[in-house]
Amino acid sequence: MNRVLRWVFFTVIVRTVILLVLGLNVRNRERLPTEGPAVLAANHNSHLDTMVLMSLMGTRRGRVRPVAAADYFLRNRFMTWFSLQIIGVLPIERQRSEDGGDPLAACGEALERGEILIFFPEGSRGEPEQLAQFRGGVAKLAARHPDVPVVPIYTHGLGKALPKGQALLVPFFADVFVGEGLRGSDVDGDFLEALRERFEGLRKEGVFADWD
Amino acid sequence: MILGVESAALIALAGVAGILVTATVLIALLRRRLPEATHTELVQRVRSWWVMAAVFTVAIVVNEVVSLVFFALVSFLALKEYFSLIPTRRVDRSVIFLAYLTIPAQYAIIGLEWYGIFIIFIPVYVFLLLPFRMVLGGETNHFLRAVGTTQWGLMAMVFGISHVAYLLVLPGELNPGAGGPGLVLFLVFLTQFNDVGQYVWGKTLGRHKVVPQVSPGKTVEGLIGGVVTTLVLAWVLGPWLTPMSHLESLGAGLLIGIGGFAGDVTISALKRDLGVKDTGSLLPGHGGMLDRVDSLIYTAPLFFHYLYFLHYSPTALGLL
């Protein structure tokens, strides 16, 4: 039942919204990983980000797990069912739990199973259309799994269509620029810094209208 | 008459297919004589033309509802490209949403054949109401820019393009040979052929630039060659597809030839201002929807009101 609902949700609702209401301009789609393990690292402006990335992964969707904050996405029974069964999120605790548990342990296990994680290095959605400080989680993952590619994906426009705290979806085209994967083993120095540089490079590829 | 479409319109559609076949063959033959990049671009363009012609044919042949939905979709895609390219204000999200809602409203008005409302809805009511809705947002910074750009977009992408759709609901008995689809075909075919004509004449004979700061590719020779080609086509096709005489058709050809050029360079100026080359990536080889309908934004209202004045207005029908 849930599998049917999941299929209906992604192929009917999400695809219609993304193709007709929004419209994507995707650059370098071929850089998306064809198989796991891999990490898709994207900037985060909107709930649409996850939907767009899942949609771009197409039939590989079954192996894609968006990493999401448990306190937000599992906050009640309906959200828990929807997040886990329909979207397929991988819930993590934002704060290190009191007994010293490792919030990234589940991510590591998923990568070992060959899954593809969607990771938002900025943490939460933050100010629309602005790149916030990266958190350390993605660098830790890269250090623990130095051969897993972290693919930077810069999106623009989704925060205009559906910013944080708004329920009204307003049609805007969105740009999705896929960068080249970066492995922990490729980087000698600061992984976060290297990833951030890739993002800045991707951002400079586009011409974006002001939104103030 | 097949599927409720007059035979002249069907023959014209077959003619369009014939032209595309010729273009496809010609480009295949020119393969060795053209630079690789030019050839690839031409192949892409013609392929997109095939898709557009096929979708367009289905849209105007099946029935009126399908046609209206199709043109509403063209307006929507063009408006969405426009709103995505221009600077907008966060506070105007709901205003932009309302602006999109004018599309179903405008095309529903056309479906109901309310000519009087069709002609004033966006230029009068939306013009007055949207800025007021913006005022309620409370933000005055860049207010004039927001009011101006929103209304300009609605005039061009919704009001302008919707004139093509109104041609379909004009009384069919006044154009017995080809009906509403004949009028749409005359306008759209001439507008698009004029674009291609100006491009081809410009490439082969072009020397003197018309508006070098805006669109360096546009030349006087291309413009004149395109307009003359369009005049010839209008003279031949007008009496067959529309209620116009040969002479009246020449007037329509002139409006379409010059109006098409004006629309093209107007959108070019807008793109240059915004620092983009294409308005989108919907149609490979052409760019976005707005790149394709730029001329139509001008030619549709110009042709419509010329034709309306001559053959459909109360004055023309001797009712006044």
Side-chain angles (χ1 to χ4, degrees):
Chain A
M1 180 64 187
N2 282 338
R3 285 190 59 176
V4 174
L5 285 177
R6 183 179 155 93
W7 184 87
V8 169
F9 179 72
F10 278 105
T11 47
V12 181
I13 301 173
V14 172
R15 192 186 290 178
T16 309
V17 169
I18 287 176
L19 290 184
L20 187 69
V21 181
L22 296 173
L24 295 183
N25 164 32
V26 187
R27 264 191 218 171
N28 299 316
R29 187 192 283 257
E30 73 286 351
R31 288 179 181 167
L32 289 170
T34 48
E35 52 190 20
V39 177
L40 308 179
N43 57 324
H44 202 15
N45 294 309
S46 166
H47 281 319
L48 293 170
D49 297 334
T50 310
M51 300 305 149
V52 165
L53 294 177
M54 297 284 285
S55 175
L56 283 179
M57 292 303 283
T59 50
R60 290 162 283 178
R61 194 171 56 226
R63 304 198 66 74
V64 180
R65 311 288 307 273
V67 176
D71 58 283
Y72 183 86
F73 286 94
L74 308 185
R75 66 179 181 272
N76 59 43
R77 278 187 64 186
F78 173 76
M79 279 297 283
T80 304
W81 168 79
F82 184 75
S83 303
L84 295 179
Q85 304 300 328
I86 304 298
I87 310 289
V89 306
L90 186 70
I92 59 165
E93 302 295 335
R94 275 194 248 216
Q95 254 67 48
R96 194 171 277 273
S97 54
E98 285 177 11
D99 55 19
D102 178 3
L104 290 175
C107 296
E109 287 161 18
L111 288 175
E112 271 154 31
R113 285 196 297 272
E115 293 179 344
I116 300 170
L117 301 181
I118 295 179
F119 211 93
F120 298 110
E122 295 167 283
S124 68
R125 285 167 291 161
E127 276 296 295
E129 306 302 306
Q130 284 180 24
L131 204 54
Q133 192 78 43
F134 282 5
R135 311 270 190 89
V138 69
K140 276 185 200 150
L141 267 184
R144 288 181 201 173
H145 307 271
D147 294 326
V148 172
V150 177
V151 181
I153 301 173
Y154 184 75
T155 66
H156 177 89
L158 298 167
K160 288 159 83 172
L162 188 69
K164 189 176 184 173
Q166 301 278 334
L168 181 70
L169 178 70
V170 179
F172 280 105
F173 274 94
D175 291 298
V176 180
F177 299 160
V178 184
E180 279 183 64
L182 190 65
R183 285 168 222 271
S185 57
D186 298 339
V187 183
D188 290 331
D190 188 350
F191 185 83
L192 271 192
E193 195 49 45
L195 186 65
R196 199 176 171 95
E197 266 172 33
R198 294 249 162 141
F199 267 99
E200 293 296 344
L202 289 173
R203 175 157 64 171
K204 286 193 190 113
E205 284 184 22
V207 180
F208 305 121
D210 288 343
W211 200 58
D212 41 39
Chain B
M1 190 152 153
I2 302 168
L3 285 164
V5 180
E6 305 290 346
S7 50
L10 291 174
I11 295 169
L13 282 169
V16 170
I19 290 172
L20 286 177
V21 169
T22 314
T24 309
V25 171
L26 213 66
I27 287 169
L29 291 176
L30 282 173
R31 178 171 196 155
R32 281 156 196 276
R33 300 187 50 188
L34 289 171
E36 184 73 27
T38 316
H39 183 259
T40 313
E41 200 199 330
L42 285 176
V43 169
Q44 268 190 350
R45 275 198 194 196
V46 172
R47 195 172 293 159
S48 291
W49 275 121
W50 274 108
V51 175
M52 285 187 277
V55 173
F56 176 76
T57 302
V58 171
I60 65 166
V61 164
V62 177
N63 65 37
E64 199 180 291
V65 175
V66 173
S67 309
L68 290 179
V69 170
F70 170 76
F71 287 111
L73 212 58
V74 171
S75 280
F76 173 65
L77 287 169
L79 189 65
K80 189 166 60 163
E81 282 176 3
Y82 174 76
F83 278 145
S84 303
L85 287 174
I86 63 164
T88 47
R89 306 186 305 167
R90 227 173 130 173
V91 65
D92 290 333
R93 270 173 39 84
S94 53
V95 179
I96 291 175
F97 189 79
L98 281 177
Y100 280 118
L101 291 185
T102 64
I103 297 172
Q106 175 79 351
Y107 284 89
I109 291 165
I110 295 173
L112 296 167
E113 298 172 37
W114 288 348
Y115 182 77
I117 307 291
F118 158 74
I119 218 66
I120 61 168
F121 173 58
I122 290 171
V124 178
Y125 292 105
V126 174
F127 169 74
L128 297 175
L129 277 170
L130 268 193
F132 180 60
R133 176 65 189 76
M134 251 180 218
V135 169
L136 297 181
E139 176 64 58
T140 52
N141 203 15
H142 290 310
F143 175 76
L144 182 59
R145 183 195 75 186
V147 169
T149 51
T150 309
Q151 186 66 22
W152 192 86
L154 290 178
M155 285 299 289
M157 319 303 163
V158 187
F159 184 67
I161 291 172
S162 72
H163 282 77
V164 187
Y166 210 97
L167 290 172
L168 288 167
V169 301
L170 288 174
E173 63 273 17
L174 295 178
N175 190 26
L183 301 175
V184 172
L185 263 169
F186 179 82
L187 167 67
V188 173
F189 178 69
L190 254 63
T191 302
Q192 304 301 355
F193 206 87
N194 179 59
D195 276 7
V196 176
Q198 298 202 359
Y199 174 82
V200 172
W201 284 111
K203 281 271 175 204
T204 47
L205 296 178
R207 289 266 188 287
H208 306 89
K209 296 187 185 333
V210 191
V211 274
Q213 300 94 327
V214 178
S215 193
K218 298 278 182 300
T219 60
V220 180
E221 293 80 359
L223 173 59
I224 293 172
V227 171
V228 171
T229 312
T230 305
L231 284 175
V232 173
L233 275 173
W235 169 273
V236 176
L237 297 177
W240 183 50
L241 288 172
T242 78
M244 295 184 294
S245 67
H246 282 294
L247 202 62
E248 290 169 341
S249 302
L250 278 184
L254 195 65
L255 279 176
I256 292 173
I258 294 173
F261 175 81
D264 192 337
V265 293
T266 302
I267 299 301
S268 295
L270 182 145
K271 288 191 287 188
R272 201 151 270 251
D273 183 17
L274 298 167
V276 297
K277 192 177 163 287
D278 289 332
T279 61
S281 53
L282 185 73
L283 308 164
H286 297 259
M289 180 59 83
L290 190 43
D291 290 309
R292 193 59 274 144
V293 299
D294 50 6
S295 332
L296 204 57
I297 288 168
Y298 270 61
T299 59
L302 288 172
F303 171 70
F304 179 91
H305 291 294
Y306 176 75
L307 177 79
Y308 189 82
F309 175 76
L310 289 177
H311 290 279
Y312 293 89
S313 63
T315 327
L317 298 174
L319 300 175
L320 284 181

mmCIF file of all heavy atoms in Angstrom, chain A residues 96-129:
data_model
loop_
_atom_site.group_PDB
_atom_site.id
_atom_site.type_symbol
_atom_site.label_atom_id
_atom_site.label_comp_id
_atom_site.label_asym_id
_atom_site.label_seq_id
_atom_site.Cartn_x
_atom_site.Cartn_y
_atom_site.Cartn_z
ATOM 1 N N ARG A 96 23.800 15.991 19.545
ATOM 2 C CA ARG A 96 24.370 14.766 20.077
ATOM 3 C C ARG A 96 23.551 14.365 21.305
ATOM 4 O O ARG A 96 23.324 15.174 22.188
ATOM 5 C CB ARG A 96 25.822 15.041 20.474
ATOM 6 C CG ARG A 96 26.652 13.819 20.730
ATOM 7 C CD ARG A 96 28.109 14.223 20.899
ATOM 8 N NE ARG A 96 28.783 14.381 19.612
ATOM 9 C CZ ARG A 96 29.365 13.366 18.962
ATOM 10 N NH1 ARG A 96 29.332 12.156 19.453
ATOM 11 N NH2 ARG A 96 29.960 13.577 17.818
ATOM 12 N N SER A 97 23.047 13.127 21.321
ATOM 13 C CA SER A 97 22.164 12.745 22.424
ATOM 14 C C SER A 97 22.961 12.591 23.716
ATOM 15 O O SER A 97 24.185 12.485 23.686
ATOM 16 C CB SER A 97 21.437 11.444 22.092
ATOM 17 O OG SER A 97 22.361 10.444 21.751
ATOM 18 N N GLU A 98 22.250 12.585 24.827
ATOM 19 C CA GLU A 98 22.922 12.650 26.130
ATOM 20 C C GLU A 98 23.812 11.446 26.409
ATOM 21 O O GLU A 98 24.849 11.550 27.041
ATOM 22 C CB GLU A 98 21.889 12.803 27.250
ATOM 23 C CG GLU A 98 21.340 14.228 27.278
ATOM 24 C CD GLU A 98 20.273 14.398 28.329
ATOM 25 O OE1 GLU A 98 20.111 13.486 29.170
ATOM 26 O OE2 GLU A 98 19.612 15.445 28.323
ATOM 27 N N ASP A 99 23.390 10.281 25.902
ATOM 28 C CA ASP A 99 24.208 9.095 26.163
ATOM 29 C C ASP A 99 25.411 9.010 25.208
ATOM 30 O O ASP A 99 26.066 7.976 25.102
ATOM 31 C CB ASP A 99 23.362 7.816 26.081
ATOM 32 C CG ASP A 99 22.629 7.713 24.750
ATOM 33 O OD1 ASP A 99 23.050 8.403 23.793
ATOM 34 O OD2 ASP A 99 21.653 6.949 24.672
ATOM 35 N N GLY A 100 25.677 10.101 24.479
ATOM 36 C CA GLY A 100 26.867 10.134 23.654
ATOM 37 C C GLY A 100 26.734 9.382 22.345
ATOM 38 O O GLY A 100 27.725 9.081 21.689
ATOM 39 N N GLY A 101 25.484 9.110 21.914
ATOM 40 C CA GLY A 101 25.266 8.418 20.645
ATOM 41 C C GLY A 101 25.752 9.246 19.463
ATOM 42 O O GLY A 101 25.840 10.465 19.545
ATOM 43 N N ASP A 102 26.044 8.602 18.376
ATOM 44 C CA ASP A 102 26.602 9.287 17.221
ATOM 45 C C ASP A 102 25.488 9.582 16.213
ATOM 46 O O ASP A 102 24.909 8.658 15.644
ATOM 47 C CB ASP A 102 27.666 8.388 16.593
ATOM 48 C CG ASP A 102 28.266 9.010 15.357
ATOM 49 O OD1 ASP A 102 27.904 10.158 15.023
ATOM 50 O OD2 ASP A 102 29.095 8.336 14.732
ATOM 51 N N PRO A 103 25.178 10.882 15.998
ATOM 52 C CA PRO A 103 24.073 11.200 15.102
ATOM 53 C C PRO A 103 24.317 10.734 13.661
ATOM 54 O O PRO A 103 23.365 10.532 12.908
ATOM 55 C CB PRO A 103 23.961 12.727 15.182
ATOM 56 C CG PRO A 103 25.205 13.206 15.820
ATOM 57 C CD PRO A 103 25.780 12.076 16.606
ATOM 58 N N LEU A 104 25.596 10.571 13.276
ATOM 59 C CA LEU A 104 25.875 10.213 11.896
ATOM 60 C C LEU A 104 25.994 8.701 11.671
ATOM 61 O O LEU A 104 26.218 8.256 10.551
ATOM 62 C CB LEU A 104 27.173 10.886 11.436
ATOM 63 C CG LEU A 104 27.083 12.407 11.259
ATOM 64 C CD1 LEU A 104 28.459 12.964 10.921
ATOM 65 C CD2 LEU A 104 26.081 12.772 10.182
ATOM 66 N N ALA A 105 25.814 7.922 12.781
ATOM 67 C CA ALA A 105 25.992 6.470 12.646
ATOM 68 C C ALA A 105 25.057 5.887 11.596
ATOM 69 O O ALA A 105 25.468 5.089 10.742
ATOM 70 C CB ALA A 105 25.763 5.796 13.999
ATOM 71 N N ALA A 106 23.789 6.362 11.608
ATOM 72 C CA ALA A 106 22.809 5.827 10.656
ATOM 73 C C ALA A 106 23.201 6.144 9.213
ATOM 74 O O ALA A 106 22.995 5.330 8.305
ATOM 75 C CB ALA A 106 21.432 6.402 10.963
ATOM 76 N N CYS A 107 23.800 7.323 9.019
ATOM 77 C CA CYS A 107 24.236 7.707 7.670
ATOM 78 C C CYS A 107 25.316 6.751 7.180
ATOM 79 O O CYS A 107 25.303 6.298 6.026
ATOM 80 C CB CYS A 107 24.806 9.126 7.665
ATOM 81 S SG CYS A 107 23.607 10.377 8.097
ATOM 82 N N GLY A 108 26.262 6.460 8.072
ATOM 83 C CA GLY A 108 27.345 5.554 7.720
ATOM 84 C C GLY A 108 26.816 4.183 7.336
ATOM 85 O O GLY A 108 27.236 3.599 6.327
ATOM 86 N N GLU A 109 25.844 3.698 8.126
ATOM 87 C CA GLU A 109 25.277 2.375 7.822
ATOM 88 C C GLU A 109 24.599 2.384 6.467
ATOM 89 O O GLU A 109 24.718 1.431 5.678
ATOM 90 C CB GLU A 109 24.258 1.983 8.908
ATOM 91 C CG GLU A 109 24.920 1.603 10.221
ATOM 92 C CD GLU A 109 23.944 1.680 11.389
ATOM 93 O OE1 GLU A 109 22.710 1.679 11.139
ATOM 94 O OE2 GLU A 109 24.412 1.752 12.534
ATOM 95 N N ALA A 110 23.887 3.481 6.163
ATOM 96 C CA ALA A 110 23.190 3.571 4.879
ATOM 97 C C ALA A 110 24.189 3.549 3.728
ATOM 98 O O ALA A 110 23.978 2.877 2.718
ATOM 99 C CB ALA A 110 22.348 4.854 4.827
ATOM 100 N N LEU A 111 25.300 4.259 3.884
ATOM 101 C CA LEU A 111 26.315 4.280 2.826
ATOM 102 C C LEU A 111 26.895 2.884 2.631
ATOM 103 O O LEU A 111 27.161 2.458 1.503
ATOM 104 C CB LEU A 111 27.425 5.278 3.159
ATOM 105 C CG LEU A 111 27.047 6.760 3.051
ATOM 106 C CD1 LEU A 111 28.195 7.644 3.512
ATOM 107 C CD2 LEU A 111 26.638 7.127 1.637
ATOM 108 N N GLU A 112 27.069 2.181 3.751
ATOM 109 C CA GLU A 112 27.606 0.817 3.637
ATOM 110 C C GLU A 112 26.622 -0.101 2.919
ATOM 111 O O GLU A 112 27.027 -1.064 2.268
ATOM 112 C CB GLU A 112 27.965 0.270 5.012
ATOM 113 C CG GLU A 112 29.416 0.621 5.373
ATOM 114 C CD GLU A 112 29.648 0.679 6.874
ATOM 115 O OE1 GLU A 112 28.974 -0.067 7.606
ATOM 116 O OE2 GLU A 112 30.501 1.486 7.307
ATOM 117 N N ARG A 113 25.320 0.211 3.019
ATOM 118 C CA ARG A 113 24.318 -0.569 2.287
ATOM 119 C C ARG A 113 24.263 -0.152 0.808
ATOM 120 O O ARG A 113 23.477 -0.674 0.040
ATOM 121 C CB ARG A 113 22.925 -0.344 2.895
ATOM 122 C CG ARG A 113 22.683 -1.052 4.219
ATOM 123 C CD ARG A 113 21.193 -1.089 4.532
ATOM 124 N NE ARG A 113 20.626 0.260 4.696
ATOM 125 C CZ ARG A 113 20.594 0.923 5.858
ATOM 126 N NH1 ARG A 113 21.120 0.375 6.943
ATOM 127 N NH2 ARG A 113 20.054 2.119 5.938
ATOM 128 N N GLY A 114 25.076 0.854 0.435
ATOM 129 C CA GLY A 114 25.091 1.297 -0.963
ATOM 130 C C GLY A 114 24.000 2.292 -1.289
ATOM 131 O O GLY A 114 23.620 2.452 -2.446
ATOM 132 N N GLU A 115 23.490 3.003 -0.288
ATOM 133 C CA GLU A 115 22.429 3.967 -0.556
ATOM 134 C C GLU A 115 22.999 5.349 -0.898
ATOM 135 O O GLU A 115 24.190 5.609 -0.702
ATOM 136 C CB GLU A 115 21.489 4.043 0.666
ATOM 137 C CG GLU A 115 20.736 2.727 0.833
ATOM 138 C CD GLU A 115 19.803 2.697 2.025
ATOM 139 O OE1 GLU A 115 19.940 3.556 2.910
ATOM 140 O OE2 GLU A 115 18.947 1.798 2.060
ATOM 141 N N ILE A 116 22.138 6.169 -1.458
ATOM 142 C CA ILE A 116 22.546 7.525 -1.856
ATOM 143 C C ILE A 116 21.879 8.516 -0.907
ATOM 144 O O ILE A 116 20.659 8.572 -0.832
ATOM 145 C CB ILE A 116 22.134 7.812 -3.315
ATOM 146 C CG1 ILE A 116 22.814 6.809 -4.257
ATOM 147 C CG2 ILE A 116 22.495 9.252 -3.703
ATOM 148 C CD1 ILE A 116 22.304 6.841 -5.678
ATOM 149 N N LEU A 117 22.695 9.268 -0.166
ATOM 150 C CA LEU A 117 22.138 10.194 0.816
ATOM 151 C C LEU A 117 21.958 11.575 0.223
ATOM 152 O O LEU A 117 22.784 12.027 -0.580
ATOM 153 C CB LEU A 117 23.068 10.306 2.030
ATOM 154 C CG LEU A 117 23.373 9.024 2.803
ATOM 155 C CD1 LEU A 117 24.297 9.363 3.984
ATOM 156 C CD2 LEU A 117 22.088 8.381 3.304
ATOM 157 N N ILE A 118 20.860 12.234 0.600
ATOM 158 C CA ILE A 118 20.723 13.658 0.291
ATOM 159 C C ILE A 118 21.053 14.397 1.573
ATOM 160 O O ILE A 118 20.428 14.171 2.611
ATOM 161 C CB ILE A 118 19.301 14.011 -0.172
ATOM 162 C CG1 ILE A 118 18.990 13.317 -1.494
ATOM 163 C CG2 ILE A 118 19.154 15.530 -0.312
ATOM 164 C CD1 ILE A 118 17.587 13.592 -2.013
ATOM 165 N N PHE A 119 22.044 15.247 1.500
ATOM 166 C CA PHE A 119 22.561 15.901 2.701
ATOM 167 C C PHE A 119 22.556 17.406 2.469
ATOM 168 O O PHE A 119 22.961 17.876 1.402
ATOM 169 C CB PHE A 119 24.001 15.411 2.933
ATOM 170 C CG PHE A 119 24.393 15.370 4.377
ATOM 171 C CD1 PHE A 119 24.235 14.215 5.116
ATOM 172 C CD2 PHE A 119 24.925 16.501 4.990
ATOM 173 C CE1 PHE A 119 24.610 14.177 6.460
ATOM 174 C CE2 PHE A 119 25.287 16.469 6.324
ATOM 175 C CZ PHE A 119 25.133 15.306 7.066
ATOM 176 N N PHE A 120 22.055 18.145 3.434
ATOM 177 C CA PHE A 120 22.067 19.605 3.315
ATOM 178 C C PHE A 120 23.097 20.159 4.289
ATOM 179 O O PHE A 120 22.822 20.271 5.486
ATOM 180 C CB PHE A 120 20.677 20.182 3.607
ATOM 181 C CG PHE A 120 19.625 19.710 2.637
ATOM 182 C CD1 PHE A 120 18.624 18.836 3.031
ATOM 183 C CD2 PHE A 120 19.655 20.139 1.316
ATOM 184 C CE1 PHE A 120 17.665 18.401 2.129
ATOM 185 C CE2 PHE A 120 18.693 19.710 0.406
ATOM 186 C CZ PHE A 120 17.704 18.834 0.816
ATOM 187 N N PRO A 121 24.297 20.502 3.796
ATOM 188 C CA PRO A 121 25.375 20.914 4.708
ATOM 189 C C PRO A 121 25.047 22.166 5.504
ATOM 190 O O PRO A 121 25.667 22.414 6.535
ATOM 191 C CB PRO A 121 26.563 21.177 3.774
ATOM 192 C CG PRO A 121 26.228 20.503 2.500
ATOM 193 C CD PRO A 121 24.745 20.491 2.398
ATOM 194 N N GLU A 122 24.059 22.971 5.023
ATOM 195 C CA GLU A 122 23.709 24.171 5.779
ATOM 196 C C GLU A 122 22.868 23.845 7.000
ATOM 197 O O GLU A 122 22.568 24.729 7.800
ATOM 198 C CB GLU A 122 22.900 25.145 4.912
ATOM 199 C CG GLU A 122 23.668 25.716 3.752
ATOM 200 C CD GLU A 122 22.725 26.394 2.775
ATOM 201 O OE1 GLU A 122 22.043 25.705 2.009
ATOM 202 O OE2 GLU A 122 22.673 27.624 2.789
ATOM 203 N N GLY A 123 22.427 22.583 7.104
ATOM 204 C CA GLY A 123 21.534 22.237 8.202
ATOM 205 C C GLY A 123 20.111 22.554 7.816
ATOM 206 O O GLY A 123 19.573 21.954 6.909
ATOM 207 N N SER A 124 19.504 23.565 8.436
ATOM 208 C CA SER A 124 18.110 23.888 8.131
ATOM 209 C C SER A 124 18.020 24.821 6.926
ATOM 210 O O SER A 124 19.025 25.233 6.355
ATOM 211 C CB SER A 124 17.427 24.490 9.342
ATOM 212 O OG SER A 124 17.997 25.758 9.579
ATOM 213 N N ARG A 125 16.772 25.165 6.544
ATOM 214 C CA ARG A 125 16.556 25.906 5.309
ATOM 215 C C ARG A 125 17.060 27.342 5.331
ATOM 216 O O ARG A 125 17.457 27.879 4.321
ATOM 217 C CB ARG A 125 15.066 25.890 4.939
ATOM 218 C CG ARG A 125 14.634 24.563 4.384
ATOM 219 C CD ARG A 125 13.136 24.480 4.323
ATOM 220 N NE ARG A 125 12.566 24.416 5.654
ATOM 221 C CZ ARG A 125 11.305 24.703 5.933
ATOM 222 N NH1 ARG A 125 10.494 25.113 4.988
ATOM 223 N NH2 ARG A 125 10.853 24.612 7.158
ATOM 224 N N GLY A 126 17.023 27.990 6.481
ATOM 225 C CA GLY A 126 17.610 29.322 6.596
ATOM 226 C C GLY A 126 16.971 30.372 5.706
ATOM 227 O O GLY A 126 15.883 30.191 5.181
ATOM 228 N N GLU A 127 17.683 31.486 5.527
ATOM 229 C CA GLU A 127 17.191 32.581 4.708
ATOM 230 C C GLU A 127 17.101 32.138 3.251
ATOM 231 O O GLU A 127 18.054 31.586 2.716
ATOM 232 C CB GLU A 127 18.143 33.780 4.803
ATOM 233 C CG GLU A 127 17.909 34.658 5.999
ATOM 234 C CD GLU A 127 16.536 35.326 5.951
ATOM 235 O OE1 GLU A 127 16.321 36.146 5.043
ATOM 236 O OE2 GLU A 127 15.686 35.005 6.802
ATOM 237 N N PRO A 128 15.961 32.419 2.576
ATOM 238 C CA PRO A 128 15.814 31.966 1.206
ATOM 239 C C PRO A 128 16.912 32.510 0.293
ATOM 240 O O PRO A 128 17.277 33.677 0.393
ATOM 241 C CB PRO A 128 14.456 32.531 0.777
ATOM 242 C CG PRO A 128 13.769 32.925 2.009
ATOM 243 C CD PRO A 128 14.792 33.131 3.057
ATOM 244 N N GLU A 129 17.398 31.660 -0.572
ATOM 245 C CA GLU A 129 18.324 32.032 -1.637
ATOM 246 C C GLU A 129 19.641 32.622 -1.118
ATOM 247 O O GLU A 129 20.273 33.408 -1.780
ATOM 248 C CB GLU A 129 17.660 32.998 -2.627
ATOM 249 C CG GLU A 129 16.352 32.477 -3.197
ATOM 250 C CD GLU A 129 16.469 31.156 -3.922
ATOM 251 O OE1 GLU A 129 17.300 31.061 -4.837
ATOM 252 O OE2 GLU A 129 15.753 30.204 -3.573
#
